[in-house]
Amino acid sequence: MKASPAEKYLTEERGLTDATIERHHLGYVEDPFPGHEMYHGCLAIPYLTPDGSVTSIRFRRLDGEGSKYLTVAGDMTRLYNTAALTLPYSKVCVTEGEIDAMTAQQCGLPAVGVPGANSWQPVWHLLFKQYDTVFVLIDDDKAGHEFGQAVARSLDTARIVPMTGGDVNSFVLEHGPQALKGKINGRGLPGDGENT
């Protein structure tokens, strides 16, 4: 992926570090398999199990044409970054999208991502029963607020945290990691001296 359009997009436009890119095994589709030509030039976002196995790959177009995100036909909706659910915390963050989950994780917050505002699955509440608080970091738009309400209907422990003026990634780019932590600090910040 070095020197690819995906690397420039992730580091320059999205502010992700090389360590974050490597940790999430992000890639760039330079030479697609036969039948996968539609993914040429896309960022490849693998969905990994906690042991590192790939269960799915989602693709993000970088050319601005057509649908922003592409998924292989027949693939099921999954949570992104489920390894965060194995960390020894009593609190976790849920974001709308993979890049936002990576950004929150890069800021030191355990986070999983839902692949789109309308993708929350009520059955996922079972994965969050272990947490005292689930911070739902929502985009500052109608779809984001609806996403937050959908999660809150499933989880009694959900605490909605709107991102002023955009999404998690744009908020951190503009205000920095400490400002993101400050958004939820009054509600008990994951990782601030706690490991319960």
Side-chain angles (χ1 to χ4, degrees):
M1 184 164 87
K2 288 289 185 192
S4 73
E7 182 187 31
K8 179 179 179 182
Y9 167 75
L10 293 169
T11 59
E12 295 178 20
E13 295 180 37
R14 294 301 196 132
L16 297 182
T17 64
D18 288 341
T20 295
I21 292 167
E22 289 175 24
R23 182 177 306 113
H24 293 276
H25 300 279
L26 303 178
Y28 178 70
V29 183
E30 181 74 45
D31 185 22
F33 290 125
H36 287 206
E37 290 81 8
M38 72 284 279
Y39 307 126
H40 179 264
C42 288
L43 168 66
I45 305 170
Y47 276 55
L48 305 170
T49 63
D51 72 0
S53 300
V54 177
T55 60
S56 180
I57 299 178
R58 200 153 178 244
F59 301 91
R60 191 198 191 284
R61 296 182 66 106
L62 300 174
D63 59 13
E65 297 179 15
S67 296
K68 190 188 299 186
Y69 284 94
L70 304 169
T71 305
V72 176
D75 198 7
M76 64 185 286
T77 303
R78 306 168 195 273
L79 280 175
Y80 179 76
N81 195 36
T82 55
L85 301 177
T86 66
L87 299 173
Y89 292 115
S90 62
K91 299 169 179 69
V92 71
C93 299
V94 175
T95 69
E96 180 189 328
E98 301 91 350
I99 299 286
D100 285 347
M102 291 178 223
T103 301
Q105 194 86 26
Q106 184 171 287
C107 293
L109 304 172
V112 296
V114 175
N118 299 315
S119 299
W120 175 259
Q121 306 292 311
V123 70
W124 289 341
H125 83 278
L126 297 169
L127 297 169
F128 296 93
K129 291 181 92 168
Q130 63 183 319
Y131 297 102
D132 294 338
T133 308
V134 177
F135 297 102
V136 187
L137 310 182
I138 64 169
D139 293 5
D140 192 14
D141 58 18
K142 184 176 187 282
H145 288 274
E146 290 172 355
F147 164 68
Q149 292 303 315
V151 177
R153 282 191 295 274
S154 295
L155 303 173
D156 292 338
T157 56
R159 302 295 176 264
I160 298 173
V161 183
M163 295 295 108
T164 311
D167 59 16
V168 174
N169 184 260
S170 64
F171 183 84
V172 170
L173 286 173
E174 184 174 348
H175 303 288
Q178 290 306 319
L180 177 62
K181 291 178 177 181
K183 277 259 190 204
I184 61 176
N185 194 31
R187 301 179 192 167
L189 178 63
D192 267 2
E194 97 165 29
N195 234 7
T196 58

